[in-house]
Amino acid sequence: MLSKSAEYALRATIYIALKGSEDNKLGIDEIAKAIDSPQYFTAKILQLLTKNNGVVSSVRGPNGGFYLSDAARKLPVRAVLEAVGEDGIITKCVLGLKECSESRPCPMHDQYRAIKAQLRQMFEKTTIQALAEESAKGKIVINNRPPKKKA
Amino acid sequence: MLSKSAEYALRATIYIALKGSEDNKLGIDEIAKAIDSPQYFTAKILQLLTKNNGVVSSVRGPNGGFYLSDAARKLPVRAVLEAVGEDGIITKCVLGLKECSESRPCPMHDQYRAIKAQLRQMFEKTTIQALAEESAKGKIVINNRPPKKKA
DNA sequence: TAAAATAAAGATAAAAATATCTTTTATTAG
DNA sequence: CTAATAAAAGATATTTTTATCTTTATTTTA
Ligand code: FES
Ligand code: FES
């Protein structure tokens, strides 16, 4: 479905939205551990997210790290996909034809149309903040670590 | 969304269903041209489809080639995905967590649930034959070549 | 101002996916 | 039985993705 890059990008962004703020910036080591991703690779991805369209903000030096501006929190999830070049999922033909269109539909187009619209809706109408809030409420999980044992 | 392998697998299978039969087997060169795919790579994929679960049948030698049995035509599209190891699209977590479950949902799980169910429905309830029939009726297209000019 | 912290940038490596070419095997037609 | 045909199998190559390591630049604090 999505590339590893996109998955890490989404998980990292959600985590930063959830735990970080302008005066509590998060380090790459913390982030990678929290979302269970390879640290160096995740760092590269966060660079994309800061450069490509400012989804993520960063500062270097002591107490530096990553955080999300208020504006960034309101961005649609699609912005994250775009930053890592993965928004094809809501534009491309499911059979890999160069164009997905009503005028030259592939054999799956009719069936896929509605699904694609929902994918688009999901990625465009959902904000980063909304996912963070979803994540904040309870049992929602963002990594692969086993659940904490009850004491 | 899907890998190139899966895309070629689907397009090839649909084409074979549409144009081939037990007494009109199709050669790999024809198939690759028809679906606009790299010939040798497509050959490898068809090998998977013949070995892994008999979606496609083949015979060597003169007048040999690929075709679909009547039984194969009734298989769900998912069988093609399985043969190329790409059915994760209807099982995996959209954020790449090891498990997608109600008990440990990721932040997108609630929204993705319905979409995933529809993807599953599409790939499991649609038969190869159904796609071929869809393809047979008119303007449906399965390659990237420009439309034929009206004379 | 020096040292430490931290991300950015750049270089390299490893793995996976995609693609091509060559050799072998099965099948058919003659 | 032989030659021709076509897929299967195997080998190799290329590209892309994923991952890691090293060096540099920036920022803060002491
Ligand atoms: S043309 Fe294939 S999904 Fe639209
Ligand atoms: S847990 Fe992520 S989609 Fe179900």
Side-chain angles (χ1 to χ4, degrees):
Chain A
M1 178 68 115
L2 295 174
S3 65
K4 290 286 177 197
S5 293
E7 292 171 356
Y8 299 151
L10 290 169
R11 303 220 299 268
T13 303
I14 293 167
Y15 181 76
I16 296 168
L18 184 64
K19 294 289 180 95
S21 68
E22 187 147 9
D23 43 52
N24 180 32
K25 309 191 191 77
L26 308 179
I28 183 58
D29 52 334
E30 171 183 352
I31 295 167
K33 266 175 200 141
I35 68 171
D36 216 39
S37 69
Q39 165 169 346
Y40 292 120
F41 190 49
T42 308
K44 288 293 182 195
I45 291 165
L46 286 181
Q47 280 180 40
L48 289 179
L49 290 171
T50 56
K51 277 195 300 195
N52 285 10
N53 49 9
V55 174
V56 174
S57 306
S58 71
V59 304
R60 310 194 227 198
N63 298 314
F66 299 93
Y67 67 99
L68 293 193
S69 70
D70 287 347
R73 289 171 183 276
K74 290 176 191 142
L75 289 175
V77 178
R78 179 175 184 171
V80 176
L81 297 183
E82 280 167 349
V84 295
E86 276 283 322
D87 61 329
I89 192 173
I90 55 182
T91 61
K92 293 210 258 193
C93 166
V94 70
L95 294 191
L97 300 183
K98 289 227 177 65
E99 293 289 324
C100 171
S101 71
E102 297 298 326
S103 56
R104 299 192 80 227
C106 74
M108 298 201 70
H109 181 85
D110 275 6
Q111 282 199 255
Y112 187 56
R113 188 191 295 108
I115 294 175
K116 195 169 160 181
Q118 283 172 71
L119 282 169
R120 180 185 289 269
Q121 174 110 342
M122 175 170 76
F123 288 120
E124 288 184 348
K125 303 282 194 226
T126 308
T127 64
I128 293 165
Q129 181 62 32
L131 288 186
E133 280 164 13
E134 184 68 20
S135 192
K137 71 175 189 208
K139 287 198 279 282
I140 309 296
V141 77
I142 201 176
N143 59 47
N144 288 311
R145 290 195 301 286
K148 266 205 204 101
K149 282 267 164 49
K150 195 77 174 296
Chain B
M1 178 66 117
L2 294 174
S3 66
K4 292 285 178 197
S5 294
E7 293 171 355
Y8 300 151
L10 290 169
R11 303 222 299 269
T13 303
I14 293 168
Y15 181 76
I16 296 168
L18 185 63
K19 294 289 179 93
S21 68
E22 187 148 7
D23 43 52
N24 180 33
K25 309 193 191 75
L26 307 179
I28 183 60
D29 51 336
E30 171 184 352
I31 294 167
K33 266 175 200 139
I35 68 171
D36 217 38
S37 70
Q39 165 168 349
Y40 292 119
F41 190 50
T42 309
K44 287 294 182 194
I45 292 164
L46 287 181
Q47 280 180 42
L48 289 180
L49 291 170
T50 56
K51 277 195 300 194
N52 285 10
N53 48 9
V55 174
V56 173
S57 306
S58 72
V59 304
R60 309 194 227 198
N63 298 312
F66 299 92
Y67 67 99
L68 293 193
S69 69
D70 288 347
R73 289 172 183 276
K74 290 175 192 144
L75 289 175
V77 178
R78 179 175 184 173
V80 175
L81 297 183
E82 280 168 350
V84 295
E86 276 283 323
D87 61 329
I89 192 174
I90 55 182
T91 60
K92 293 209 257 191
C93 166
V94 70
L95 294 191
L97 301 183
K98 287 226 178 67
E99 293 289 324
C100 171
S101 71
E102 298 298 325
S103 56
R104 299 191 81 226
C106 75
M108 298 200 71
H109 182 85
D110 275 6
Q111 282 200 256
Y112 187 58
R113 188 190 295 108
I115 295 175
K116 195 168 161 183
Q118 283 171 72
L119 282 169
R120 180 185 290 269
Q121 174 109 341
M122 175 170 76
F123 288 120
E124 289 184 347
K125 302 284 194 223
T126 307
T127 64
I128 293 166
Q129 181 63 32
L131 288 186
E133 280 163 14
E134 184 69 19
S135 192
K137 70 173 189 209
K139 289 199 278 280
I140 310 296
V141 77
I142 201 176
N143 59 48
N144 287 311
R145 292 195 300 285
K148 265 204 206 98
K149 281 271 163 48
K150 194 81 173 293

